[in-house]
Amino acid sequence: MVSQRVPPTGKGAVPVPPDLVVEVTSPSDESAKISRKIQQYQKAGVALIWQVYPDKQEVHIYRLSTNLKFETRNSQQEFEGENILPNFKLKVTAIFEE
């Protein structure tokens, strides 16, 4: 967890990447831009990235260990917080409920 990796310093930005990033894609986002962001997050050391696609009702799951490869969860499936958020499970459809 991030709290275990943060050095005990004073003020200013914390020089530690987050464990999890959730990115919501808009219809105007270009796939090349999305790929660049994912690469930047992974280069920074983000362990788990959830890329949410509202128009498709999908979530792409990226792990640091798999580079740009991802797993897709559709509206019939759920995804987990893995070792970042233990015991967290969410159905993809729950994201899009009103």
Side-chain angles (χ1 to χ4, degrees):
M1 298 196 70
V2 170
S3 62
Q4 296 166 343
R5 296 182 285 134
V6 176
T9 60
K11 300 174 185 172
V14 178
V16 178
D19 293 322
L20 170 67
V21 167
V22 179
E23 187 78 30
V24 179
T25 306
S26 70
S28 63
D29 285 338
E30 298 173 5
S31 59
K33 179 182 173 185
I34 295 166
S35 292
R36 279 194 303 274
K37 275 186 158 181
I38 299 297
Q39 285 176 326
Q40 289 173 338
Y41 291 140
Q42 289 184 326
K43 186 176 179 181
V46 176
L48 184 62
I49 303 164
W50 295 337
Q51 185 73 43
V52 180
Y53 290 88
D55 56 335
K56 299 178 188 177
Q57 292 201 356
E58 289 182 349
V59 176
H60 292 183
I61 301 164
Y62 295 85
R63 295 171 187 87
L64 186 59
S65 60
T66 61
N67 200 7
L68 286 178
K69 294 180 182 174
F70 60 88
E71 292 180 20
T72 301
R73 297 291 187 269
N74 62 38
S75 61
Q76 305 303 311
Q77 299 173 305
E78 65 181 21
F79 59 101
E80 301 178 3
E82 302 179 17
N83 63 335
I84 306 300
L85 296 172
N87 303 316
F88 176 87
K89 289 184 181 185
L90 184 65
K91 288 189 176 189
V92 173
T93 55
I95 299 171
F96 306 105
E97 291 176 354
E98 293 188 31

XYZ file of all heavy atoms in Angstrom:
784
model
N 0.832 -1.179 0.000
C 0.000 0.000 0.000
C 0.877 1.243 0.000
O 1.992 1.230 0.493
C -0.919 -0.003 1.205
C -1.874 -1.184 1.227
S -3.253 -0.974 2.352
C -4.162 0.290 1.516
N 0.306 2.326 -0.521
C 1.055 3.575 -0.617
C 1.525 4.041 0.748
O 2.659 4.474 0.908
C 0.208 4.674 -1.310
C 0.888 6.020 -1.198
C -0.019 4.335 -2.766
N 0.674 3.955 1.768
C 1.040 4.476 3.086
C 2.298 3.814 3.639
O 3.027 4.414 4.418
C -0.115 4.297 4.067
O -0.413 2.930 4.231
N 2.571 2.595 3.233
C 3.771 1.905 3.697
C 5.019 2.327 2.916
O 6.129 2.080 3.341
C 3.573 0.395 3.580
C 2.468 -0.117 4.463
C 2.054 -1.528 4.106
O 2.354 -2.017 3.033
N 1.360 -2.181 5.020
N 4.809 2.954 1.757
C 5.929 3.354 0.914
C 6.258 4.837 0.976
O 7.249 5.276 0.432
C 5.650 2.979 -0.544
C 5.537 1.486 -0.755
C 5.304 1.136 -2.220
N 3.923 1.436 -2.576
C 3.547 2.092 -3.678
N 4.436 2.502 -4.537
N 2.283 2.316 -3.929
N 5.429 5.622 1.643
C 5.635 7.060 1.693
C 6.701 7.380 2.722
O 6.579 7.024 3.889
C 4.322 7.794 2.048
C 4.566 9.282 2.204
C 3.266 7.534 0.991
N 7.757 8.057 2.278
C 8.801 8.425 3.245
C 8.296 9.493 4.203
O 7.490 10.334 3.832
C 9.922 8.973 2.350
C 9.251 9.387 1.093
C 8.045 8.505 0.932
N 8.742 9.444 5.439
C 8.295 10.432 6.427
C 8.977 11.772 6.191
O 10.000 12.088 6.795
C 8.718 9.813 7.758
C 9.868 8.938 7.412
C 9.640 8.459 6.011
N 8.437 12.548 5.274
C 9.010 13.850 4.946
C 8.028 14.943 5.328
O 6.917 14.675 5.767
C 9.327 13.954 3.448
O 8.113 13.773 2.711
C 10.331 12.909 3.020
N 8.410 16.136 5.063
C 7.579 17.285 5.400
C 6.507 17.552 4.371
O 5.700 16.700 4.057
N 6.554 18.717 3.786
C 5.509 19.192 2.892
C 5.852 18.888 1.441
O 6.953 18.506 1.109
C 5.336 20.693 3.083
C 4.947 21.069 4.483
C 4.940 22.567 4.659
C 4.664 22.901 6.108
N 4.828 24.305 6.384
N 4.866 19.093 0.602
C 5.085 18.965 -0.834
C 4.529 17.673 -1.405
O 3.872 16.894 -0.727
N 4.814 17.470 -2.659
C 4.316 16.301 -3.374
C 4.958 15.029 -2.837
O 6.115 15.023 -2.429
C 4.620 16.431 -4.862
N 4.189 13.973 -2.838
C 4.683 12.676 -2.379
C 5.315 11.965 -3.576
O 4.663 11.784 -4.600
C 3.529 11.824 -1.805
C 4.031 10.462 -1.372
C 2.874 12.548 -0.651
N 6.579 11.559 -3.475
C 7.275 10.957 -4.621
C 6.983 9.464 -4.797
O 7.872 8.685 -5.092
C 8.744 11.194 -4.260
C 8.765 11.111 -2.774
C 7.456 11.735 -2.333
N 5.723 9.072 -4.602
C 5.342 7.667 -4.685
C 4.098 7.562 -5.573
O 3.141 8.308 -5.363
C 5.028 7.110 -3.275
C 4.573 5.668 -3.352
C 6.240 7.236 -2.368
N 4.092 6.655 -6.546
C 2.900 6.519 -7.389
C 1.755 5.877 -6.619
O 1.981 5.135 -5.660
C 3.381 5.603 -8.515
C 4.451 4.779 -7.897
C 5.142 5.713 -6.921
N 0.526 6.127 -7.041
C -0.606 5.464 -6.386
C -0.600 3.974 -6.710
O -0.015 3.541 -7.704
C -1.823 6.162 -6.991
C -1.348 6.675 -8.306
C 0.105 7.010 -8.114
N -1.249 3.189 -5.886
C -1.378 1.754 -6.152
C -2.410 1.502 -7.245
O -2.298 0.550 -8.009
C -1.830 1.017 -4.887
C -0.771 1.047 -3.802
O 0.419 0.937 -4.128
O -1.137 1.176 -2.619
N -3.439 2.355 -7.308
C -4.558 2.164 -8.226
C -4.905 3.481 -8.904
O -4.954 4.526 -8.256
C -5.785 1.668 -7.446
C -7.123 1.625 -8.180
C -7.108 0.578 -9.278
C -8.253 1.360 -7.198
N -5.153 3.398 -10.221
C -5.661 4.539 -10.980
C -6.939 4.092 -11.669
O -6.988 3.008 -12.253
C -4.636 5.029 -12.033
C -5.279 5.984 -13.022
C -3.445 5.680 -11.371
N -7.974 4.921 -11.577
C -9.228 4.681 -12.298
C -9.377 5.811 -13.301
O -9.421 6.980 -12.929
C -10.440 4.655 -11.344
C -11.721 4.416 -12.136
C -10.252 3.600 -10.262
N -9.454 5.453 -14.549
C -9.536 6.425 -15.636
C -10.846 6.175 -16.380
O -11.118 5.051 -16.805
C -8.338 6.223 -16.567
C -8.175 7.234 -17.650
C -7.566 8.547 -17.183
O -6.773 8.556 -16.236
O -7.902 9.559 -17.794
N -11.671 7.212 -16.529
C -12.930 7.092 -17.257
C -12.745 7.735 -18.627
O -12.347 8.893 -18.735
C -14.093 7.760 -16.495
C -15.393 7.643 -17.286
C -14.244 7.133 -15.113
N -13.036 6.963 -19.656
C -12.839 7.401 -21.031
C -14.073 8.137 -21.537
O -15.198 7.700 -21.315
C -12.581 6.175 -21.930
O -11.497 5.438 -21.384
C -12.239 6.580 -23.331
N -13.840 9.238 -22.234
C -14.947 9.959 -22.857
C -14.984 9.607 -24.342
O -13.976 9.154 -24.898
C -14.789 11.469 -22.658
O -13.717 11.947 -23.436
N -16.108 9.833 -24.991
C -16.199 9.496 -26.419
C -15.177 10.206 -27.297
O -14.797 9.697 -28.346
C -17.622 9.939 -26.798
C -18.375 9.915 -25.523
C -17.380 10.300 -24.450
N -14.683 11.356 -26.856
C -13.713 12.093 -27.669
C -12.268 11.641 -27.456
O -11.377 12.080 -28.178
C -13.831 13.591 -27.375
O -13.500 13.843 -26.020
N -12.026 10.764 -26.484
C -10.660 10.278 -26.237
C -10.196 9.387 -27.382
O -10.931 8.501 -27.825
C -10.582 9.491 -24.928
C -10.613 10.377 -23.703
O -10.279 11.569 -23.825
O -10.977 9.878 -22.628
N -8.984 9.632 -27.839
C -8.402 8.820 -28.911
C -7.640 7.659 -28.298
O -7.031 7.797 -27.237
C -7.476 9.677 -29.758
C -8.180 10.827 -30.449
C -7.218 11.764 -31.155
O -6.000 11.472 -31.193
O -7.681 12.787 -31.659
N -7.652 6.523 -28.965
C -6.997 5.324 -28.428
C -5.498 5.542 -28.212
O -4.929 5.027 -27.249
C -7.253 4.112 -29.313
O -6.771 4.330 -30.614
N -4.847 6.315 -29.075
C -3.418 6.583 -28.901
C -3.161 7.374 -27.615
O -2.199 7.112 -26.895
C -2.865 7.350 -30.106
N -4.033 8.318 -27.323
C -3.902 9.119 -26.095
C -4.099 8.238 -24.863
O -3.368 8.355 -23.883
C -4.933 10.253 -26.102
C -4.896 11.119 -24.877
C -5.985 12.183 -24.927
C -6.048 12.924 -23.615
N -7.159 13.884 -23.566
N -5.077 7.346 -24.931
C -5.335 6.439 -23.815
C -4.118 5.539 -23.592
O -3.669 5.360 -22.455
C -6.601 5.599 -24.074
C -7.827 6.510 -24.109
C -6.760 4.506 -23.026
C -9.070 5.849 -24.673
N -3.557 4.999 -24.657
C -2.372 4.131 -24.553
C -1.189 4.868 -23.939
O -0.471 4.320 -23.113
C -1.972 3.583 -25.922
O -2.940 2.693 -26.393
N -1.000 6.123 -24.327
C 0.100 6.925 -23.764
C -0.088 7.118 -22.266
O 0.861 7.020 -21.484
C 0.213 8.277 -24.471
C 0.949 8.234 -25.787
C 1.326 9.626 -26.290
N 0.177 10.514 -26.431
C -0.607 10.596 -27.510
N -0.375 9.833 -28.547
N -1.600 11.447 -27.549
N -1.326 7.400 -21.853
C -1.593 7.573 -20.418
C -1.292 6.286 -19.650
O -0.684 6.323 -18.588
C -3.055 7.969 -20.189
C -3.331 9.420 -20.297
C -4.776 9.666 -19.895
C -4.966 11.083 -19.462
N -6.351 11.339 -19.053
N -1.743 5.163 -20.180
C -1.502 3.878 -19.524
C -0.003 3.639 -19.410
O 0.494 3.234 -18.353
C -2.190 2.718 -20.280
C -3.706 2.903 -20.327
C -1.806 1.370 -19.685
C -4.402 2.903 -18.998
N 0.728 3.915 -20.486
C 2.192 3.760 -20.454
C 2.815 4.654 -19.394
O 3.724 4.241 -18.669
C 2.800 4.092 -21.821
C 2.585 3.022 -22.854
C 3.128 3.433 -24.209
O 3.099 4.607 -24.594
N 3.619 2.459 -24.953
N 2.347 5.894 -19.277
C 2.886 6.817 -18.277
C 2.611 6.314 -16.864
O 3.477 6.363 -16.005
C 2.296 8.211 -18.466
C 2.802 8.918 -19.694
C 2.078 10.232 -19.948
O 0.963 10.458 -19.482
N 2.714 11.096 -20.721
N 1.401 5.836 -16.635
C 1.059 5.295 -15.321
C 1.951 4.100 -14.987
O 2.477 3.986 -13.885
C -0.405 4.858 -15.253
C -1.413 5.979 -15.286
C -2.592 5.840 -16.012
C -1.224 7.163 -14.574
C -3.547 6.853 -16.034
C -2.166 8.173 -14.601
C -3.327 8.011 -15.332
O -4.268 9.006 -15.342
N 2.130 3.210 -15.959
C 2.933 2.024 -15.702
C 4.407 2.382 -15.520
O 5.075 1.820 -14.663
C 2.741 1.001 -16.819
C 1.360 0.377 -16.757
C 1.156 -0.720 -17.778
O 1.676 -0.670 -18.879
N 0.374 -1.721 -17.402
N 4.884 3.324 -16.300
C 6.276 3.763 -16.141
C 6.502 4.369 -14.755
O 7.565 4.202 -14.156
C 6.632 4.789 -17.224
C 8.080 5.183 -17.225
C 8.390 6.130 -18.375
C 9.845 6.524 -18.350
N 10.187 7.459 -19.419
N 5.484 5.022 -14.230
C 5.572 5.621 -12.889
C 5.494 4.567 -11.787
O 5.844 4.832 -10.654
C 4.467 6.650 -12.703
N 4.997 3.362 -12.150
C 4.936 2.292 -11.162
C 3.556 2.001 -10.599
O 3.432 1.338 -9.571
N 2.505 2.485 -11.263
C 1.136 2.198 -10.806
C 0.871 0.709 -11.007
O 0.997 0.188 -12.106
C 0.100 3.051 -11.565
C -1.315 2.677 -11.154
C 0.359 4.532 -11.327
N 0.480 0.032 -9.942
C 0.327 -1.423 -9.984
C -0.941 -1.886 -10.688
O -0.946 -2.919 -11.356
C 0.343 -1.987 -8.566
N -2.043 -1.136 -10.555
C -3.324 -1.568 -11.090
C -4.050 -0.369 -11.695
O -4.153 0.682 -11.062
C -4.171 -2.187 -9.969
C -5.520 -2.789 -10.321
C -5.371 -3.960 -11.302
C -6.223 -3.269 -9.052
N -4.527 -0.544 -12.928
C -5.236 0.533 -13.630
C -6.563 -0.020 -14.124
O -6.608 -1.061 -14.775
C -4.419 1.055 -14.827
C -3.040 1.527 -14.362
C -5.183 2.176 -15.551
C -2.031 1.691 -15.480
N -7.643 0.697 -13.805
C -8.962 0.356 -14.329
C -9.342 1.431 -15.334
O -9.538 2.587 -14.985
C -10.010 0.314 -13.228
C -9.802 -0.763 -12.208
C -9.101 -1.930 -12.365
C -10.298 -0.788 -10.872
N -9.140 -2.669 -11.210
C -9.872 -1.994 -10.277
C -11.076 0.088 -10.123
C -10.181 -2.338 -8.971
C -11.384 -0.253 -8.829
C -10.954 -1.456 -8.261
N -9.433 1.066 -16.592
C -9.842 1.983 -17.653
C -11.308 1.706 -17.946
O -11.653 0.628 -18.430
C -8.987 1.753 -18.904
C -9.241 2.726 -20.027
C -8.678 4.099 -19.734
O -7.575 4.227 -19.240
N -9.450 5.120 -20.024
N -12.181 2.667 -17.637
C -13.624 2.492 -17.765
C -14.101 3.088 -19.088
O -13.780 4.235 -19.405
C -14.359 3.171 -16.583
C -15.859 2.996 -16.716
C -13.852 2.622 -15.249
N -14.860 2.291 -19.828
C -15.434 2.713 -21.104
C -16.960 2.746 -20.974
O -17.625 1.730 -21.167
C -15.028 1.751 -22.222
C -13.567 1.834 -22.578
C -12.623 1.072 -21.901
C -13.132 2.682 -23.594
C -11.285 1.160 -22.226
C -11.794 2.769 -23.919
C -10.875 2.005 -23.232
O -9.543 2.088 -23.552
N -17.542 3.907 -20.630
C -18.988 3.993 -20.434
C -19.794 3.625 -21.679
O -20.832 2.975 -21.570
C -19.217 5.463 -20.059
C -17.914 5.923 -19.528
C -16.870 5.169 -20.305
N -19.320 4.038 -22.859
C -20.081 3.763 -24.078
C -20.192 2.270 -24.377
O -21.181 1.810 -24.935
C -19.491 4.517 -25.272
C -18.030 4.219 -25.520
O -17.325 3.820 -24.565
O -17.566 4.377 -26.664
N -19.195 1.484 -23.987
C -19.212 0.032 -24.199
C -19.656 -0.728 -22.949
O -19.842 -1.931 -22.994
C -17.813 -0.460 -24.574
C -17.244 0.114 -25.838
C -15.837 -0.432 -26.029
C -15.114 0.234 -27.155
N -13.729 -0.263 -27.271
N -19.734 -0.018 -21.843
C -19.975 -0.617 -20.522
C -18.960 -1.735 -20.267
O -19.307 -2.875 -19.965
C -21.412 -1.092 -20.375
C -22.376 0.070 -20.351
C -23.702 -0.261 -19.723
O -23.979 -1.385 -19.346
N -24.541 0.755 -19.603
N -17.706 -1.350 -20.388
C -16.576 -2.264 -20.168
C -15.555 -1.620 -19.248
O -15.482 -0.396 -19.154
C -15.844 -2.581 -21.477
C -16.564 -3.450 -22.434
C -15.742 -3.743 -23.677
O -14.684 -3.120 -23.909
O -16.187 -4.613 -24.436
N -14.754 -2.470 -18.618
C -13.603 -2.025 -17.847
C -12.407 -2.828 -18.332
O -12.465 -4.051 -18.415
C -13.805 -2.256 -16.325
C -12.547 -1.871 -15.557
C -15.005 -1.472 -15.818
N -11.333 -2.127 -18.693
C -10.080 -2.783 -19.051
C -9.173 -2.730 -17.823
O -9.004 -1.670 -17.223
C -9.405 -2.099 -20.231
C -10.166 -2.268 -21.513
N -9.701 -1.791 -22.703
C -11.352 -2.866 -21.790
C -10.565 -2.084 -23.665
N -11.580 -2.728 -23.123
N -8.611 -3.856 -17.485
C -7.775 -3.961 -16.297
C -6.332 -4.171 -16.719
O -6.006 -5.153 -17.394
C -8.251 -5.127 -15.409
C -9.712 -4.886 -15.020
C -7.356 -5.280 -14.188
C -10.400 -6.105 -14.484
N -5.484 -3.219 -16.333
C -4.057 -3.281 -16.628
C -3.312 -3.541 -15.326
O -3.630 -2.953 -14.299
C -3.557 -1.950 -17.197
C -4.131 -1.573 -18.533
C -5.354 -0.919 -18.629
C -3.434 -1.840 -19.698
C -5.875 -0.549 -19.852
C -3.946 -1.466 -20.934
C -5.167 -0.828 -21.005
O -5.682 -0.457 -22.220
N -2.327 -4.386 -15.408
C -1.448 -4.647 -14.264
C -0.033 -4.278 -14.665
O 0.362 -4.490 -15.810
C -1.525 -6.116 -13.859
C -2.888 -6.506 -13.336
C -2.998 -8.016 -13.144
N -4.369 -8.379 -12.808
C -5.313 -8.618 -13.722
N -5.027 -8.560 -15.007
N -6.527 -8.944 -13.329
N 0.725 -3.774 -13.729
C 2.096 -3.355 -14.007
C 2.905 -4.487 -14.623
O 3.685 -4.283 -15.546
C 2.759 -2.860 -12.720
C 4.145 -2.249 -12.850
C 4.130 -1.056 -13.792
C 4.655 -1.824 -11.487
N 2.689 -5.683 -14.163
C 3.461 -6.831 -14.621
C 3.139 -7.260 -16.052
O 3.882 -8.044 -16.639
C 3.239 -8.015 -13.684
O 1.863 -8.363 -13.674
N 2.039 -6.762 -16.636
C 1.647 -7.208 -17.975
C 1.842 -6.148 -19.042
O 1.360 -6.312 -20.165
C 0.184 -7.680 -17.992
O -0.649 -6.584 -17.617
C -0.038 -8.855 -17.078
N 2.516 -5.061 -18.705
C 2.791 -3.984 -19.646
C 1.473 -3.445 -20.193
O 0.603 -3.104 -19.426
C 3.742 -4.456 -20.741
C 4.431 -3.315 -21.447
O 4.323 -2.160 -21.059
N 5.156 -3.629 -22.494
N 1.284 -3.375 -21.491
C 0.057 -2.802 -22.053
C -1.023 -3.840 -22.316
O -2.068 -3.519 -22.852
C 0.366 -2.031 -23.339
C 1.050 -0.689 -23.138
C 1.342 -0.037 -24.478
C 0.215 0.241 -22.280
N -0.785 -5.088 -21.955
C -1.833 -6.097 -22.111
C -2.875 -5.875 -21.029
O -2.562 -5.461 -19.929
C -1.242 -7.495 -22.011
C -0.301 -7.806 -23.155
C 0.269 -9.191 -23.028
C 1.242 -9.426 -24.160
N 1.951 -10.680 -24.041
N -4.124 -6.145 -21.364
C -5.200 -5.911 -20.403
C -6.230 -7.023 -20.487
O -6.280 -7.780 -21.450
C -5.867 -4.560 -20.644
C -6.480 -4.402 -22.011
C -7.781 -4.801 -22.251
C -5.750 -3.860 -23.054
C -8.357 -4.659 -23.506
C -6.297 -3.715 -24.319
C -7.616 -4.120 -24.543
N -7.040 -7.093 -19.458
C -8.195 -7.990 -19.434
C -9.439 -7.115 -19.507
O -9.478 -6.042 -18.911
C -8.234 -8.798 -18.139
C -7.119 -9.805 -18.022
C -7.203 -10.585 -16.720
O -8.285 -10.641 -16.097
O -6.162 -11.120 -16.312
N -10.436 -7.591 -20.215
C -11.685 -6.848 -20.349
C -12.771 -7.496 -19.510
O -12.919 -8.712 -19.516
C -12.136 -6.821 -21.826
O -11.112 -6.208 -22.611
C -13.432 -6.042 -21.997
N -13.500 -6.666 -18.791
C -14.686 -7.117 -18.067
C -15.877 -6.399 -18.701
O -15.874 -5.174 -18.820
C -14.612 -6.776 -16.577
C -13.480 -7.450 -15.849
C -13.705 -8.961 -15.746
N -12.708 -9.593 -14.910
C -11.561 -10.085 -15.345
N -11.254 -10.007 -16.620
N -10.713 -10.661 -14.507
N -16.876 -7.171 -19.109
C -18.051 -6.566 -19.730
C -19.188 -6.462 -18.718
O -19.022 -6.798 -17.550
C -18.476 -7.345 -20.986
C -18.882 -8.774 -20.673
O -19.511 -9.042 -19.651
N -18.529 -9.697 -21.558
N -20.347 -6.027 -19.201
C -21.465 -5.760 -18.288
C -21.988 -7.008 -17.581
O -22.693 -6.888 -16.585
C -22.603 -5.078 -19.043
O -23.063 -5.929 -20.083
N -21.633 -8.181 -18.050
C -22.078 -9.418 -17.413
C -21.094 -9.912 -16.350
O -21.335 -10.923 -15.704
C -22.251 -10.517 -18.472
C -23.170 -10.138 -19.616
C -24.549 -9.738 -19.155
O -25.161 -10.447 -18.364
N -25.044 -8.597 -19.612
N -19.990 -9.210 -16.183
C -18.924 -9.680 -15.300
C -18.677 -8.718 -14.148
O -19.233 -7.632 -14.094
C -17.636 -9.872 -16.111
C -17.768 -10.904 -17.216
C -16.543 -10.940 -18.095
O -16.122 -9.927 -18.638
N -15.963 -12.129 -18.238
N -17.789 -9.137 -13.254
C -17.341 -8.281 -12.161
C -15.825 -8.215 -12.183
O -15.171 -8.997 -12.862
C -17.851 -8.781 -10.813
C -17.318 -10.117 -10.380
C -17.888 -10.574 -9.035
O -18.952 -10.095 -8.615
O -17.236 -11.426 -8.422
N -15.293 -7.270 -11.445
C -13.843 -7.170 -11.308
C -13.510 -6.983 -9.840
O -14.374 -6.658 -9.028
C -13.244 -6.081 -12.196
C -13.773 -4.692 -11.939
C -13.026 -3.792 -11.202
C -14.996 -4.287 -12.445
C -13.496 -2.518 -10.969
C -15.477 -3.008 -12.211
C -14.721 -2.126 -11.478
N -12.245 -7.212 -9.517
C -11.810 -7.212 -8.120
C -10.684 -6.213 -7.890
O -9.990 -5.823 -8.818
C -11.323 -8.613 -7.733
C -12.379 -9.673 -7.887
C -11.875 -11.066 -7.546
O -10.705 -11.207 -7.126
O -12.654 -12.011 -7.704
N -10.500 -5.885 -6.620
C -9.427 -4.977 -6.223
C -8.091 -5.673 -6.052
O -7.099 -5.022 -5.730
N -8.099 -6.980 -6.239
C -6.882 -7.795 -6.154
C -6.155 -7.531 -4.837
O -6.788 -7.392 -3.802
C -6.031 -7.575 -7.399
C -6.817 -7.915 -8.663
C -6.074 -7.716 -9.952
O -4.839 -7.605 -9.934
O -6.739 -7.685 -10.998
N -4.842 -7.434 -4.857
C -4.110 -7.212 -3.611
C -4.073 -5.732 -3.207
O -3.633 -5.393 -2.119
C -2.691 -7.776 -3.696
C -1.863 -7.087 -4.758
O -2.399 -6.537 -5.717
N -0.565 -7.136 -4.617
N -4.584 -4.855 -4.066
C -4.618 -3.426 -3.765
C -5.809 -3.095 -2.858
O -5.689 -2.350 -1.891
C -4.711 -2.588 -5.063
C -3.591 -2.948 -6.042
C -4.737 -1.107 -4.758
C -2.193 -2.730 -5.534
N -6.974 -3.648 -3.195
C -8.188 -3.482 -2.394
C -8.751 -4.874 -2.096
O -9.701 -5.320 -2.745
C -9.240 -2.654 -3.154
C -8.901 -1.211 -3.471
C -9.946 -0.596 -4.395
C -8.804 -0.412 -2.187
N -8.167 -5.573 -1.158
C -8.620 -6.940 -0.867
C -10.120 -6.975 -0.534
O -10.649 -6.055 0.079
C -7.791 -7.342 0.350
C -6.619 -6.436 0.349
C -7.089 -5.154 -0.271
N -10.769 -8.012 -0.994
C -12.200 -8.241 -0.763
C -13.119 -7.283 -1.519
O -14.331 -7.317 -1.317
C -12.545 -8.208 0.730
C -11.732 -9.213 1.504
O -11.567 -10.353 1.083
N -11.192 -8.792 2.628
N -12.577 -6.423 -2.357
C -13.409 -5.525 -3.159
C -13.816 -6.244 -4.436
O -12.967 -6.736 -5.178
C -12.645 -4.244 -3.515
C -13.405 -3.320 -4.417
C -14.274 -2.381 -3.891
C -13.261 -3.389 -5.797
C -14.980 -1.524 -4.724
C -13.958 -2.539 -6.638
C -14.821 -1.604 -6.100
N -15.119 -6.296 -4.698
C -15.662 -6.851 -5.938
C -16.785 -5.938 -6.386
O -17.558 -5.437 -5.564
C -16.219 -8.256 -5.728
C -15.178 -9.306 -5.505
C -15.816 -10.678 -5.406
C -14.745 -11.714 -5.155
N -15.302 -13.074 -5.171
N -16.870 -5.729 -7.704
C -17.913 -4.868 -8.231
C -18.336 -5.378 -9.602
O -17.498 -5.672 -10.446
C -17.395 -3.434 -8.352
C -18.381 -2.368 -8.803
C -19.483 -2.181 -7.765
C -17.667 -1.061 -9.060
N -19.644 -5.471 -9.800
C -20.152 -5.810 -11.123
C -20.010 -4.583 -12.009
O -20.271 -3.454 -11.566
C -21.608 -6.247 -11.054
C -21.778 -7.608 -10.426
C -23.189 -8.089 -10.564
C -23.260 -9.502 -10.012
N -24.540 -10.132 -10.295
N -19.619 -4.800 -13.231
C -19.442 -3.686 -14.160
C -20.742 -2.903 -14.298
O -20.723 -1.664 -14.321
C -18.933 -4.189 -15.528
C -18.919 -3.068 -16.558
C -17.537 -4.790 -15.385
N -21.877 -3.575 -14.333
C -23.158 -2.872 -14.479
C -23.417 -1.909 -13.326
O -24.097 -0.889 -13.514
C -24.339 -3.870 -14.577
O -24.299 -4.733 -13.439
C -24.286 -4.664 -15.845
N -22.879 -2.176 -12.153
C -23.095 -1.295 -10.999
C -22.495 0.095 -11.221
O -22.984 1.077 -10.662
C -22.507 -1.916 -9.747
N -21.465 0.183 -12.031
C -20.843 1.480 -12.325
C -21.805 2.388 -13.070
O -21.809 3.592 -12.891
C -19.558 1.299 -13.164
C -18.537 0.462 -12.408
C -18.967 2.634 -13.585
C -17.348 0.067 -13.244
N -22.636 1.770 -13.906
C -23.471 2.553 -14.818
C -24.930 2.679 -14.382
O -25.725 3.270 -15.080
C -23.389 1.935 -16.221
C -21.967 1.794 -16.686
C -21.351 0.546 -16.702
C -21.229 2.906 -17.081
C -20.035 0.419 -17.111
C -19.914 2.777 -17.482
C -19.314 1.539 -17.505
N -25.256 2.147 -13.197
C -26.619 2.272 -12.695
C -26.909 3.718 -12.303
O -26.033 4.414 -11.823
C -26.826 1.355 -11.483
C -26.816 -0.109 -11.834
C -26.935 -1.001 -10.608
O -26.915 -0.489 -9.480
O -27.050 -2.215 -10.811
N -28.133 4.118 -12.485
C -28.515 5.490 -12.104
C -29.018 5.531 -10.694
O -29.514 4.628 -10.142
C -29.582 6.004 -13.064
C -29.018 6.187 -14.458
C -30.010 6.876 -15.373
O -30.809 7.694 -14.898
O -29.958 6.605 -16.560
